[in-house]
Structures are given as C-alpha cells and as structure tokens.
Amino acid sequence: MTEHPCPPLTLAVEAGPGAVRLRLAGDLDYDTSEQFVERAQACLAADHAVRDLFLDCSGLRLCDSMGVASLLLIHRGTASRGAVLHLEHPPPFLRRILDVTGTLHLFALDEAGREAEQAEDGPPPADARYRAAPPPAPSG
Amino acid sequence: MARQKEQIDSRTQQLPQSDRWGSAPYAVIVVDRTGTVVDLNPAATALLEDAAQGGALSETVPPWLARAHQETTHPTGRPLGDHPLPAARPAFRGRIGARNFEAHPVPHQDGDVAWWLVDDTGRLLVEEELASERERTAFLAEASNVLLASLNTDRCMQVTAQLASQHLAEAAVVIMPAAGRQLPMAYAVGGGAAVRGTVTADPVQVPGLSEALQGFPPVPSRWIDPAALPDWLIPEGFTGTVGSAAVTPLPGHGVPAGVLVLLRSTGTTEFNESEEVFARLFAARAGAALSAARLYAEQSDITRTLMRDLLPPRLDRVNGVEFAGGYQPAAARDRVGGDFYDVHPGSTPDDPSLAVLGDVCGKGLDAAVLTGKIRNTLQALTPMAGDHERMLRLLNGALLNSHHTRFATLVLASVRRKENRVRLRLTSAGHPAPLVIRNDGRVEEIETRGTLVGALPHIEVRTVETDLRPGETCLLYTDGVTEARGGPLGDELYGEERLMRALGECAGMPGTAVVERVQMLASQWLHDGRHDDMALVAITAPLTTHLSAVDGHTRGRYTA
C-alpha cells in the first residue's frame, strides 16, 4: 500500500496482573496480521486470569481489511472468555475503518479515541457503546 | 618408444636369430626388403596363423601391413639401396583379426625391418567410450535447454520424441497418461519433426507400458517382443520391422508424466544396458519438463475458469436504468481480486433490479473463493431483495466460519424505474456510503450504515431510500479509489473529499463517463501505479431529452 518496502510490524508485550498490553508499531496488513493474531492469542493463552487486553495503537501506521479481520479474530478470543479488548490511542484511520465497517462498538476505546471521534464528522453508529470516559485530557 | 625398441634391438643383435625376439612382450615379425619374412617370435606366430620364416609377407599379414612394409622400404617407389632408413617412423594402424594394432617399423642395418605389433584395442575402446560419453553429456545439456524452454505440454512431448529419435533410437513415441480412453501421443522418426496424435487403445497391449504409465521401473528391453507391439505404436515413416524396443517411464513430480518408447529396426543393434541407463537419464529430464508444463497448464486452466466466472460483468441498460461498471484489479497477476460487482435484473420492468458492489478482505485465491461464494449466495437470495436486512443476515450466516474472520463489506442497491425517475433502496454493510451526484452539482453521501458480513454473529444495517431525477447518478465504489496513495507529496490518500469534489464536476454526465473520469483521476493520483483493487458502479436515471434529427428531415424522437 505504501510505496516503500513495509518494515515489519513490531509488537511489544507488557503483562500485568489480569491485564496484558500489546504495543503495535508499523503496518497491520495482509503480511503482518497473522503474526499479530498469533502473538495476541499466545498472550491470552499464557494467562487465564487476563480480563483486559489492551492494544496500544499509537505506533500504528496502516490498517487494511486483513488488519480489521485480525482485530475481529482477537475480539472473538476475548469475548469468548468474557475479557474486554481495549484500543488505546487509535489513529483516525483505524477509527474510521472500524466505524465504516460497523465494528467500532466491539472495542473499548480510551479517552484519546473518544477525543478523535468527536473531532471527526458524522455521528457514531447508534448501537456503539463506549466506556464511560473521563474528561478529555491532552495526550501525546 | 621407438628409441627404447632400438636399444632392445642393438642389445639382442648378437643373439642367434630364433632367440632374438622370444622374450619380447609384443609380436615381432622381421621382414627383408623383398617382403620375405626373415624371423618372428612366438607371439607373432600366435597372432598370425599363416606366418612362417621364408614366407611372403603379403600372404601372411592383412593388406594394410603389407602396404606399410612396402611404403617403409620403398618410400619413393624404388628400393632405398644401402642408405639406412630413418630411425623413427610413424606407426601404422590397422586390424588383425578382431583386434586393433599399431605397427611400429624398426629398420635394421642390413635393410631388414622389424615390425613391432602393439595391440591398442583397449585404448581405442576407452577413447570411443570417452567420446560417446562427451556426446551424451552434450546431448543431455542440450535436451534440458530445449525442454525447459517451453511450458507448453504439446511442445514438450514433441521435443522429447524428436530428440529421442535423433539420439537414442530410430523412432521414438511419447505417450501421456490417458485422458479418459484416449492416449495422447507424439511420434518422431530419425530426428524429424514430431507429430502429435491421440489413440484410443489399451496400454496393456504394449508390454511394460501400463506399468510405466503408473510409474513402475522400466522393463528391460530384452523382455519386450517386438512382434507383439501393436500397429498404433509404430510411427508412420518407420521403415522396416521393429527389431528391438525400450519402454522408459518419464518420471514426474510424484505421478509419472508419461512414457518414452524407443524403437529400432531389425538391421541395427539392440538396446544394451548402458543405452537403457542413458535413456533413463534423458527420460528424467524430459519427465521433469513435461510435468512442469502440465502443472502450469492445469494452473492456468484453473485460473482461467475462475476468472471467467469471477470477473465483473459488463453492464448496460437494464429495465430503463443505465448501469456502468469499472474494475481495476490491484495487479495483473491477481486478475481476480477482492472487489466485485453484479447487477441482477428484475424479472419484469416493474420489478426492481439488484446491484451489488463489494470488497472481500484479503487477496489471491482465498479472496477469489470467498468472492465467488458471496456472489453465488446473493444471486440465490435475489427473490428476497425487497428486504435488504434479511438478505444480508442470511448471507452473514452463510459466510460465518469458526476458523477465521475474513469478511466482506458490500452495498446493495435495489433499483426501479418509476416514470422518468429512478427509485433507489440502498444498504451498506460495513461499506463506504454510496454517493449521489445531483443535477445541480451537489454530491450527497447516502446515510446508510451497517456491519460487515462474514465475521460477526449479529449484524445491524440501515436501509435508505432516495430518488434519481433524469441525469442524476448514484455511484457505488470500493475503498481502492479513496485509498489510492500518491498525489503531489507522493504519500497522500486520494480521500473521500477529493472524490466528492471530482464528482461535483460530473453532474449530468452519463454513468460510463462518471466511471471513466473517476478511474482516470485515481490513476493520475497514484504515485507509483500500485494500488488496491478499484471497483465502481454508476446507476444513472436516463435523460429524457428530445434528440434532434440527424439528417434534418426525419422526426426527432424521445429516448426511453
């Protein structure tokens, strides 16, 4: 999609009590989505006490339809065990593709996402549910 | 070597004649200048049965050796007189009985010549073998080059038959595994151009053929009775009767690629073991080339079949509504991409037609298969096109898969002409909203939204209705258009705003022109020509303008 050769997606894991945070940096697309899914599933399998999976998307540069499919697959994994999948700092393009595809409501968004959403045109889908967000705080 | 023999000669000069050569390791025959045998050792007696002291050389030895003696003693046609012969002379060669000899003349002081006969049959054989080995290696290299130059199965069969008939036998037949009851074959005789044909025959008729076609090791050619070969195996142009035959499998990747049958006539030698081994070396190369060609042919057949069914159709006017479609796949090698569109005409002009445009996640064969499934399912569901939501729920259920979340986004448009207007019912399932170009240049985004299909157990969609006045167009598009990356900075998305602005300039244009304009703008925007699939469908309410007559005499008419 980009004109330069895509550097691979880099994934960093921080595991805490009952929660895991995955930091994504790079492109989430046809070539990298499988790697992302495997990593996230491994995190969930490693600790059955995990109730929250945070995906820090601040370093994400691109997300195509295969990237969305991988997010949906991970959501299927978290939902089946009653865990919540959080998207942190979703860039506008990610929010947009999730909005258009009608899947944004599946993810718990942090305040940065809510902030970005308010900045964009168009109302959110009627059925979208968001976490109660604290007052917007400037971030990044 | 000649000098060494001279030394022997001078050492033995003093011995009595009969003992002189007795211990020499070679046959020696001493002849005087008149051509009479003066002396010979036991080795020479054993070699030349008729030889005896006092006999004439010409009656004792083969003509080539008698001539050699004549040339040595009378180099200019007359006797040399008392002049000594030159010490070193080139050796002569010829056959004595079944073996090859080098004859080295060693002249004596008295004018006699001692002929040393050295058997070089073994060396000649080795030289011949080396030469033929080189020839075979060169042939195999050439064969590989020629065979691998083509991925066409017919051509590979013909080249194999032709090369084999030139280098391995008088005639060669290549037989492929049966397609039904037909055996595809290629014949060649004497290195001539090969002929392709098929024969309806049972491979069991040829000894070893059905085994070879199943990939079993070859039957030794001596087991094959040439008289038992059926007529269909003997190529036209093969003169004489078959004296020997060899049946060699052409090994492929796992399954045999075919069989090579080599034929020789009765006049020539039969196949020996080394020739059969060599034929197998050739067959290995030919088999590899043939199976590569066959795999390629199968692959391209599959691709062609898929493409024929999956390429978007050409669109035209349906029940009084103009439809125009445009599709640009991401790259030529993925002719079948993830984008698709279809128009299913209503059964009567009053029934709505259903236009579908969608984008399947992923690429390549997986995406193509999913695309096919969606198009087939939607076609089957057209009777319930009156309820888009229900249709999409059924489609979603049909696509759900526990192993993956590959999904599709799509737009459904039910289209019906009502007087001079076109009534649209539009539903997006996770797809970019349709855009409507109004006659005044406004571009409206239709507020339909919904969930993608194929990944989630439940979907929500919202259907929106709108009307097109004559000349107005509704454009369905995939995100390959808005996500074309390029522009003046090289890395900017074309984006929805640019698309809407561009469409604003298309007011009143026919649908085909709108599609072409958008395709052109997106292509120009692209920085390096690489893009995702782009699909577009324009639905246009035809203008009912009064057309002036072409020649000025006939009446004008209204378009439908």
Side-chain angles (χ1 to χ4, degrees):
Chain A
M1 270 225 168
T2 47
E3 73 272 28
H4 40 257
C6 297
L9 178 76
T10 53
L11 297 164
V13 183
E14 293 166 25
V20 175
R21 175 172 283 111
L22 257 173
R23 279 185 209 285
L24 288 82
D27 299 347
L28 184 55
D29 60 10
Y30 187 83
D31 299 315
T32 57
S33 56
E34 199 179 326
Q35 170 202 354
F36 169 52
V37 169
E38 280 172 11
R39 193 68 179 271
Q41 285 176 341
C43 289
L44 291 173
D47 183 358
H48 289 279
V50 170
R51 284 289 165 267
D52 293 280
L53 178 59
F54 294 90
L55 301 177
D56 183 342
C57 302
S58 52
L60 204 59
R61 278 191 317 225
L62 180 153
C63 178
D64 73 356
S65 59
M66 284 299 281
V68 175
S70 65
L71 288 172
L72 295 179
L73 198 54
I74 293 166
H75 175 265
R76 200 180 267 184
T78 52
S80 70
R81 56 194 276 175
V84 180
L85 183 57
H86 303 257
L87 295 185
E88 295 180 309
H89 314 289
F93 65 82
L94 179 62
R95 267 187 33 76
R96 191 180 148 64
I97 190 170
L98 295 178
D99 185 21
V100 169
T101 54
T103 53
L104 195 60
H105 64 279
L106 300 172
F107 307 96
L109 297 171
D110 70 347
E111 63 275 20
R114 177 120 189 112
E115 201 183 342
E117 177 228 319
Q118 284 170 340
E120 286 224 353
D121 310 332
D127 57 344
R129 65 177 162 82
Y130 297 100
R131 268 170 101 207
S139 66
Chain B
M1 224 159 138
R3 207 169 66 201
Q4 205 179 355
K5 276 174 210 142
E6 262 190 307
Q7 286 165 355
I8 296 167
D9 182 53
S10 59
R11 269 205 316 276
T12 53
Q13 201 115 52
Q14 315 307 323
L15 295 170
Q17 287 276 36
S18 52
D19 290 344
R20 259 200 204 174
W21 318 99
S23 59
Y26 301 108
V28 181
I29 178 165
V30 184
V31 187
D32 70 9
R33 63 180 66 193
T34 66
T36 309
V37 177
V38 180
D39 194 5
L40 72 171
N41 68 355
T45 319
L47 179 66
L48 304 158
E49 283 175 9
D50 302 329
Q53 275 186 13
L57 182 67
S58 56
E59 290 163 15
T60 313
V61 298
W64 66 271
L65 188 51
R67 256 197 321 275
H69 184 71
Q70 185 71 19
E71 278 174 35
T72 308
T73 49
H74 304 78
T76 53
R78 47 191 183 81
L80 279 171
D82 291 334
H83 297 295
L85 293 163
R89 308 224 3 126
F92 295 85
R93 287 168 194 271
R95 288 178 79 85
I96 300 173
R99 305 187 70 79
N100 285 294
F101 283 87
E102 271 188 350
H104 297 272
V106 180
H108 288 194
Q109 298 289 333
D110 53 11
D112 294 351
V113 177
W115 287 94
W116 289 71
L117 303 176
V118 182
D119 186 340
D120 68 349
T121 313
R123 187 172 62 86
L124 274 182
L125 282 179
V126 170
E127 275 177 7
E128 266 171 30
E129 221 166 279
L130 181 66
S132 90
E133 201 57 45
R134 280 185 181 152
E135 205 178 300
R136 287 172 174 189
T137 310
F139 163 60
L140 287 180
E142 186 209 331
S144 289
N145 285 345
V146 177
L147 284 166
L148 293 175
S150 171
L151 275 175
N152 176 313
T153 325
D154 281 357
R155 168 105 187 104
C156 264
M157 285 176 79
Q158 289 174 330
V159 167
T160 304
Q162 193 234 324
L163 285 173
S165 73
Q166 187 176 4
H167 295 270
L168 302 172
E170 285 161 54
V173 184
V174 175
I175 304 170
M176 300 283 275
R181 299 177 66 83
Q182 304 253 305
L183 288 175
M185 308 172 78
Y187 304 87
V189 180
V195 181
R196 265 287 273 121
T198 52
V199 67
T200 309
D202 191 347
V204 174
Q205 290 175 317
V206 182
L209 178 58
S210 64
E211 291 83 355
L213 281 171
Q214 292 167 53
F216 289 112
V219 176
S221 79
R222 61 179 184 280
W223 293 4
I224 298 171
D225 176 13
L229 297 179
D231 288 341
W232 56 262
L233 191 66
I234 319 297
E236 268 180 53
F238 184 80
T239 49
T241 48
V242 178
S244 53
V247 176
T248 312
L250 299 169
H253 303 302
V255 288
V259 169
L260 175 66
V261 180
L262 301 173
L263 302 170
R264 281 181 182 172
S265 64
T266 38
T268 52
T269 51
E270 293 187 1
F271 294 99
N272 61 34
E273 202 179 319
S274 106
E275 283 175 315
E276 285 183 38
V277 168
F278 179 60
R280 263 175 263 160
L281 288 177
F282 170 72
R285 284 157 172 79
L290 263 174
S291 59
R294 252 188 34 202
L295 276 179
Y296 177 78
E298 280 167 17
Q299 203 92 34
S300 63
D301 270 1
I302 292 170
T303 313
R304 217 179 4 253
T305 307
L306 277 177
M307 282 189 333
R308 199 179 43 225
D309 280 358
L310 295 183
L311 277 181
R314 280 181 59 85
L315 300 184
D316 213 342
R317 176 178 285 217
V318 177
N319 294 344
V321 182
E322 295 283 355
F323 289 91
Y327 178 58
Q328 280 176 295
R333 71 190 150 79
D334 302 322
R335 280 282 298 284
V336 187
D339 288 6
F340 65 93
Y341 60 77
D342 277 304
V343 173
H344 305 290
S347 40
T348 68
D350 292 331
D351 284 331
S353 303
L354 179 71
V356 183
L357 174 134
D359 182 355
V360 167
C361 130
K363 58 185 176 185
L365 203 55
D366 283 339
V369 168
L370 187 53
T371 305
K373 199 170 172 182
I374 292 171
R375 291 173 71 180
N376 288 341
T377 309
L378 283 175
Q379 184 166 23
L381 293 176
T382 41
M384 51 187 70
D387 186 348
H388 286 178
E389 184 171 349
R390 188 170 163 220
M391 200 177 181
L392 289 166
R393 288 218 161 107
L394 287 168
L395 174 67
N396 186 56
L399 298 177
L400 271 184
N401 179 309
S402 58
H403 304 300
H404 60 72
T405 45
R406 281 176 180 251
F407 60 85
T409 67
L410 48 99
V411 183
L412 300 182
S414 286
V415 186
R416 189 161 59 98
R417 175 84 183 262
K418 197 169 184 197
E419 286 154 12
N420 64 352
R421 291 191 170 206
V422 169
R423 173 140 289 192
L424 288 175
R425 225 158 16 86
L426 296 156
T427 309
S428 156
H431 199 86
L435 301 172
V436 171
I437 312 165
R438 298 296 179 193
N439 281 333
D440 58 6
R442 276 181 304 121
V443 178
E444 281 174 24
E445 190 178 292
I446 303 298
E447 287 290 323
T448 165
R449 324 192 120 231
T451 321
L452 46 75
V453 292
L456 301 170
H458 303 291
I459 61 165
E460 298 287 334
V461 297
R462 186 182 350 152
T463 302
V464 172
E465 295 196 16
T466 188
D467 277 4
L468 299 179
R469 280 178 288 273
E472 292 183 337
T473 292
C474 172
L475 185 73
L476 317 180
Y477 67 96
T478 58
D479 61 7
V481 178
T482 43
E483 287 182 12
R485 208 171 267 270
L489 300 174
D491 196 27
E492 206 178 341
L493 295 180
Y494 185 64
E496 212 164 298
E497 274 182 33
R498 268 189 204 88
L499 176 62
M500 288 174 81
R501 262 206 309 279
L503 290 177
E505 293 160 12
C506 295
M509 282 189 182
T512 42
V514 175
V515 167
E516 279 168 23
R517 173 116 186 106
V518 173
Q519 283 183 324
M520 193 197 75
L521 289 173
S523 300
Q524 282 176 349
W525 183 261
L526 287 167
H527 178 62
D528 55 0
R530 294 202 309 146
H531 61 86
D532 205 356
D533 287 349
M534 295 184 200
L536 295 157
V537 169
I539 304 164
T540 309
L543 285 166
T544 47
T545 354
H546 181 256
L547 295 178
S548 57
V550 178
D551 59 6
H553 297 292
T554 50
R555 278 171 51 210
R557 60 193 172 88
Y558 290 91
T559 56

